[in-house]
Amino acid sequence: MSGGLKQTTLAFCRPRKRAKPEPEGEGESRAAAEAEPSGSHGDGAFLTVLRTRRPGAARKLCKSGQELEVVRDEANEKDPLAIKFVTSDGQEVGYVPLMAAEKLAGALDSGSWEASATVLTGGDGETVHVMVRFRRPGGEAPTETQAEELEAILASAREAQSDQFRGKCEQLSGALDAVLGHFCSVSHLFDREELDVIETVRSLDLRPKALLVRIVMRKRQWLRVRHLCRYVEVGDVRSAVGRLCEAGLLDEMSSSVEGSSLDAQLGLLSATELQDLAAAHLRGGGNGGWRGRKKRDVAAALSREGEGDEQIAVAVAQLIGECVSLNAEADRVLQCLQFAYFLDDSQGLERFLLTHHGLCNYPSYELSSSPVFATRDDFVRYQAACAKEQELHQALESNDLEKARALVSTSAQALGFYLEDWSRTSTPSSTASTSTSTEFPKKPSPGLLTESWVHVGIAHRGISLLEKARRYADAIELIQVLLGRPEQPSRRGEWWNRFAIDLEHLGKSETSLEIAETGLADGWVRTGHRLSLQRRVVRLGKPPRRWKTPSFAARVAWQPKEVVFEARPTNSRAGTKSVFVGFDDEDVTVEGLALQYYAREDQGSWTGVHSEGGVWGVIFALLMWDVIFSPVPGAFHHPFQTKPLDLDSDFFYAARREMVDARVAEIERGGWSKLLEATWAREYPRKTLCVGLSWDRYGLDQLQTISRCLGSRGLAAIVRLLAQDHKHWRGGMPDLVLWRTDPEPAAMLVEVKGPRDSLMEKQRAWLMEFEACGVRCEVCRIREP
């Protein structure tokens, strides 16, 4: 998506002349009338389209004039009334539309009628039109009453099919209308030219608007019109395309695909089309010819030969046919409109359709009515920053360090820090202008949806990039800039730790100690980060640097109970997950081996699962459901959220302190069982989406057993910590959850470590918390012989 809204005017291409658009709905009826042979109604005929998830395979199997068998598919679990089309050699090619099949199934099940079908291509080369004919068994002539009954059934099926197609258009159009309805509250974010585009979209008729939604969800530059014909609910697709072109929302590419490269044209063809083209114009292709070759390999071969071969270029253009593309300016405005609705790029119009079909069910909560962005500039800058953040994620995933460094430099500059040439490295003898007097930000942290919040997150990723380049002095300067900012306070613990570590890299142990002590005075430093700073102070703060032992020295010296046993590895390569021969002589992971070890009778016959934080995320969601989705201003802005916007920030607990504390107290009193049952009974039938919740991974009985064995005190401690600092505490939980009910309920949490693993500070912090609330926990170390 583009970085933000631009101050530009619309410059749509001029569409070619087209026939006058037909009134709404007439295109479909006209196509049906032309396709239906004369006199077909007398035999009891029903014109329909073949529905399939594999339209390419269906077109290949179905030729114009071909006869198909029409049979009931009673074994279909999803639709017991399904009617399918089968070729003479028994290959299934597709189904009768759902609502029409519901009306026709009774006629076939009664045994009073038999059905066959004739393929009608319809002239679009994509949708397979089919004429279904009903006749009496054995060819006997129907009575007048039977004929009237059949005609009533067919009329009902035609109406149901029409309702289904129109209903599908209304679903698609309704998704866009919902976003347009939200536009009233964000109209101040758009300029005059953009408002004109939005008004043009709003004024579209039902079927063109439905097709526009399909095109927006396809997210491709060019689309072949013949492929758009698969959307049979639109009716006359070419007429709808014409209306969208006339409205300036689509650009056309002629059948000669002028102005586009051969590579771009080849990218529009299917693998089968490319293989056929290569077989006709290229020699070789290996022993099996071009069949079965990968699409990209065939396209590359055609591209090499086609640049100087006019025949290939002409053949490609003929195969592609007419193409359209969403106009660039219209696309930008629609994407910005969706961004203003969803507040990020991770969701789009498909959310409405998935919810309508029951594939995704979202929680019920109260939406905030106040606008998120006060001005257009706020929105544009935030959207541009989010686009850069997305680019950074993609660059890091693809290991494009040059691009990642450039993006980090831009965000750091927006925060007042200027990075020099990335090729320069720091040496251990480099000097850094460090200071231990870094002031904590005094103003409150701004909202989550601000440009500066995103830039701080991007600059944060730059710390590790600088450290990998051994630019420790620059990393320290960037950290000092971030520590002076009010945004993202939950990261401050990590920043203080990196500050101290990088100082040690520069040989400044004394200053590193001072920074660690300063960091411990920062109230935002919590969990494993605080423990890490404390351990550093104890390690570095020895005489003559410090004579007084810090009060937390005993806590830092704490070590969890350890159990060690040996096992025979099947691989011992660094950087790969260890695999061992299990107690059943099968290969298992370290966690699986530990589960087998604790299941032995001499170790307590524990039942367990390898869950890390999985089971606790589920329990937290079920116990805190009404707290998570409570009506807090600014937490929910659209109906497709699985969590409040502030869950992973320090705002969550601050805004719900009384509710959280009351719920934790209720859990500690033993009320957790009723809470689990009530939430499960209410939400499980819909499998409502919620952060951390996997409905199919654990059953209610298992969750109840684990909770009972853990005890109310331990359960309350987990819920309290996750509510107070969900972002940090959701990671680092012990690998295994073990429990047993005999002779009495008991639970144990185990962190498993292989031969080359070490305990992280966040894991150590969790083990300390569990021990403090009386939950048994230990570290299981597996050694190689």
Side-chain angles (χ1 to χ4, degrees):
M1 193 179 75
S2 62
L5 296 169
K6 301 177 182 178
Q7 299 280 356
T8 58
T9 57
L10 296 177
F12 300 128
C13 71
R14 180 176 298 172
R16 297 179 309 180
K17 287 188 177 180
R18 293 179 173 269
K20 183 179 180 181
E22 299 169 339
E24 185 72 27
E26 288 189 10
E28 184 179 313
S29 60
R30 179 185 61 78
E34 291 178 354
E36 188 172 344
S38 60
S40 61
H41 278 298
D43 294 331
F46 173 68
L47 177 66
T48 187
V49 292
L50 188 148
R51 302 306 302 269
T52 176
R53 292 185 179 274
R54 302 176 59 195
R59 292 195 310 276
K60 192 172 183 179
L61 291 170
C62 300
K63 305 300 181 183
S64 180
Q66 180 180 353
E67 294 297 316
L68 300 174
E69 297 179 23
V70 180
V71 297
R72 288 276 286 106
D73 188 10
E74 296 178 350
N76 192 316
E77 295 181 357
K78 293 184 178 180
D79 180 16
L81 298 178
I83 300 175
K84 61 184 179 181
F85 297 106
V86 183
T87 61
S88 58
D89 57 355
Q91 298 186 70
E92 297 181 7
V93 292
Y95 288 82
V96 173
L98 175 67
M99 293 176 65
E102 292 176 352
K103 303 296 183 181
L104 299 174
L108 296 178
D109 290 342
S110 67
S112 302
W113 299 95
E114 295 176 346
S116 62
T118 303
V119 175
L120 309 171
T121 60
D124 53 43
E126 175 71 24
T127 305
V128 178
H129 290 84
V130 182
M131 183 65 72
V132 183
R133 292 185 176 84
F134 291 81
R135 56 180 57 85
R136 295 284 295 165
E140 64 178 90
T143 65
E144 183 176 350
T145 301
Q146 289 171 335
E148 290 176 352
E149 291 176 350
L150 177 61
E151 185 54 39
I153 293 174
L154 295 180
S156 177
R158 295 186 190 102
E159 183 179 359
Q161 179 173 268
S162 178
D163 289 345
Q164 178 178 342
F165 291 162
R166 183 173 183 83
K168 187 64 178 179
C169 285
E170 290 173 346
Q171 293 172 24
L172 293 164
S173 177
L176 187 53
D177 287 339
V179 176
L180 291 170
H182 174 71
F183 166 74
C184 297
S185 62
V186 296
S187 59
H188 63 288
L189 306 179
F190 297 84
D191 62 23
R192 184 66 263 166
E193 288 79 10
E194 293 157 356
L195 295 175
D196 290 342
V197 176
I198 293 172
E199 188 55 39
T200 299
V201 173
R202 192 196 299 272
S203 64
L204 288 173
D205 292 333
L206 175 65
R207 296 178 189 273
K209 187 181 290 185
L211 182 61
L212 178 64
V213 173
R214 288 289 195 187
I215 292 172
V216 170
M217 291 194 298
R218 290 288 293 272
K219 297 178 181 177
R220 294 192 60 180
Q221 183 176 2
W222 290 103
L223 296 168
R224 298 159 71 179
V225 173
R226 61 175 295 188
H227 285 182
L228 296 178
C229 291
R230 72 181 60 179
Y231 303 127
V232 294
E233 67 273 2
V234 177
D236 189 347
V237 169
R238 296 182 183 278
S239 175
V241 167
R243 296 186 194 185
L244 293 174
C245 288
E246 291 169 0
L249 300 172
L250 292 185
D251 292 338
E252 288 184 292
M253 185 164 67
S254 68
S255 58
S256 62
V257 289
E258 298 173 353
S260 59
S261 67
L262 181 60
D263 286 339
Q265 297 174 41
L266 292 170
L268 297 175
L269 299 179
S270 67
T272 302
E273 289 172 325
L274 289 170
Q275 292 164 1
D276 290 342
L277 195 64
H281 294 276
L282 302 180
R283 287 180 291 180
N287 295 332
W290 294 101
R291 299 296 177 188
R293 298 282 294 274
K294 291 183 178 179
K295 180 178 178 179
R296 64 173 179 269
D297 296 336
V298 181
L302 285 166
S303 179
R304 286 193 301 268
E305 298 292 330
E307 291 297 341
D309 190 334
E310 185 66 23
Q311 287 185 332
I312 292 180
V314 172
V316 171
Q318 290 176 344
L319 274 175
I320 292 175
E322 188 179 7
C323 293
V324 292
S325 174
L326 195 60
N327 177 271
E329 182 69 6
D331 183 26
R332 185 182 63 79
V333 174
L334 288 172
Q335 294 295 344
C336 288
L337 191 61
Q338 289 185 80
F339 189 93
Y341 184 86
F342 293 105
L343 300 178
D344 60 33
D345 292 323
S346 64
Q347 295 177 311
L349 296 175
E350 69 280 353
R351 290 293 109 189
F352 291 93
L353 304 184
L354 293 172
T355 303
H356 179 86
H357 293 295
L359 300 176
C360 292
N361 294 309
Y362 290 87
S364 299
Y365 43 74
E366 184 178 313
L367 295 179
S368 299
S369 57
S370 57
V372 178
F373 304 101
T375 67
R376 172 186 170 85
D377 287 343
D378 291 341
F379 174 64
V380 171
R381 287 196 296 266
Y382 178 72
Q383 187 191 18
C386 288
K388 290 184 181 298
E389 186 177 40
Q390 184 62 30
E391 289 181 46
L392 177 62
H393 290 320
Q394 295 171 355
L396 292 174
E397 287 179 1
S398 61
N399 201 31
D400 187 351
L401 294 182
E402 184 177 351
K403 185 175 182 179
R405 289 167 175 171
L407 291 166
V408 167
S409 297
T410 302
S411 287
Q413 184 174 338
L415 300 174
F417 178 69
Y418 296 86
L419 283 169
E420 299 176 9
D421 181 13
W422 280 87
S423 61
R424 181 177 63 80
T425 60
S426 300
T427 63
S429 60
S430 299
T431 59
S433 57
T434 58
S435 169
T436 60
S437 62
T438 299
E439 293 186 3
F440 304 151
K442 297 177 181 178
K443 62 179 181 179
S445 179
L448 301 171
L449 304 177
T450 61
E451 174 197 20
S452 59
W453 189 280
V454 180
H455 281 314
V456 167
I458 295 175
H460 167 78
R461 304 297 293 269
I463 297 173
S464 62
L465 293 177
L466 287 168
E467 291 171 339
K468 289 177 182 178
R470 299 185 65 193
R471 295 181 59 173
Y472 304 120
D474 290 328
I476 287 172
E477 290 183 33
L478 177 56
I479 290 170
Q480 287 179 296
V481 170
L482 296 178
L483 284 171
R485 305 284 309 189
E487 298 87 359
Q488 304 215 23
S490 60
R491 295 189 185 273
R492 297 181 65 82
E494 185 175 356
W495 295 337
W496 284 114
N497 269 287
R498 298 315 309 173
F499 197 166
I501 290 170
D502 290 340
L503 284 168
E504 283 204 74
H505 283 309
L506 294 175
K508 298 187 174 185
S509 298
E510 180 70 35
T511 311
S512 177
L513 172 59
E514 294 177 10
I515 288 300
E517 292 172 329
T518 305
L520 289 175
D522 189 338
W524 294 105
V525 179
R526 297 186 293 267
T527 66
H529 297 308
R530 175 165 291 274
L531 182 59
S532 179
L533 289 174
Q534 289 174 338
R535 291 168 66 84
R536 184 170 302 278
V537 169
V538 170
R539 177 171 59 84
L540 296 177
K542 297 177 180 178
R545 289 197 182 105
R546 299 288 186 276
W547 295 95
K548 184 178 179 181
T549 302
S551 59
F552 47 76
R555 174 180 171 85
V556 169
W558 177 86
Q559 293 294 332
K561 176 185 175 183
E562 288 193 1
V563 172
V564 182
F565 69 91
E566 290 186 352
R568 181 161 53 91
T570 59
N571 72 326
S572 301
R573 296 189 303 273
T576 61
K577 189 170 180 63
S578 300
V579 178
F580 292 86
V581 177
F583 291 93
D584 57 358
D585 293 328
E586 299 290 335
D587 288 354
V588 293
T589 62
V590 288
E591 294 85 6
L593 182 61
L595 285 172
Q596 293 180 2
Y597 173 80
Y598 285 104
R600 296 166 55 187
E601 186 174 354
D602 60 341
Q603 296 301 322
S605 301
W606 294 93
T607 301
V609 292
H610 172 211
S611 73
E612 297 183 8
V615 67
W616 307 121
V618 173
I619 290 176
F620 175 76
L622 294 175
L623 292 178
M624 300 290 286
W625 190 282
D626 51 340
V627 177
I628 294 173
F629 298 106
S630 58
V632 173
F636 300 101
H637 289 278
H638 62 80
F640 305 110
Q641 294 179 219
T642 60
K643 63 179 181 179
L645 290 177
D646 60 352
L647 179 62
D648 289 329
S649 75
D650 291 280
F651 301 121
F652 179 82
Y653 179 66
R656 304 164 181 82
R657 184 185 300 272
E658 292 183 3
M659 288 185 288
V660 170
D661 292 347
R663 179 54 50 85
V664 169
E666 182 180 357
I667 293 169
E668 197 161 10
R669 291 194 301 268
W672 54 265
S673 182
K674 291 183 179 179
L675 289 170
L676 281 179
E677 291 176 358
T679 307
W680 188 278
R682 185 181 67 249
E683 305 297 340
Y684 179 78
R686 300 176 65 241
K687 294 192 174 180
T688 311
L689 298 175
C690 176
V691 61
L693 184 54
S694 176
W695 290 107
D696 299 325
R697 189 173 179 183
Y698 307 101
L700 177 60
D701 291 342
Q702 188 179 37
L703 295 173
Q704 292 272 25
T705 301
I706 293 173
S707 300
R708 183 172 66 256
C709 292
L710 182 69
S712 299
R713 185 183 172 194
L715 205 59
I718 293 174
V719 170
R720 174 178 52 80
L721 292 174
L722 287 174
Q724 290 177 347
D725 194 351
H726 187 266
K727 180 177 181 178
H728 284 120
W729 283 113
R730 68 183 177 185
M733 293 184 178
D735 295 304
L736 307 184
V737 180
L738 306 175
W739 68 90
R740 62 188 179 200
T741 57
D742 186 37
E744 60 183 16
M748 180 166 61
L749 306 177
V750 179
E751 182 66 41
V752 183
K753 292 298 176 186
R756 285 162 291 279
D757 296 335
S758 58
L759 198 63
M760 294 188 298
E761 300 298 353
K762 188 178 292 187
Q763 295 167 342
R764 187 185 299 273
W766 261 118
L767 294 172
M768 293 175 68
E769 291 291 341
F770 281 127
E771 185 182 76
C773 62
V775 176
R776 181 177 174 183
C777 58
E778 63 187 34
V779 176
C780 177
R781 294 192 181 275
I782 301 175
R783 305 292 189 193
E784 297 174 353

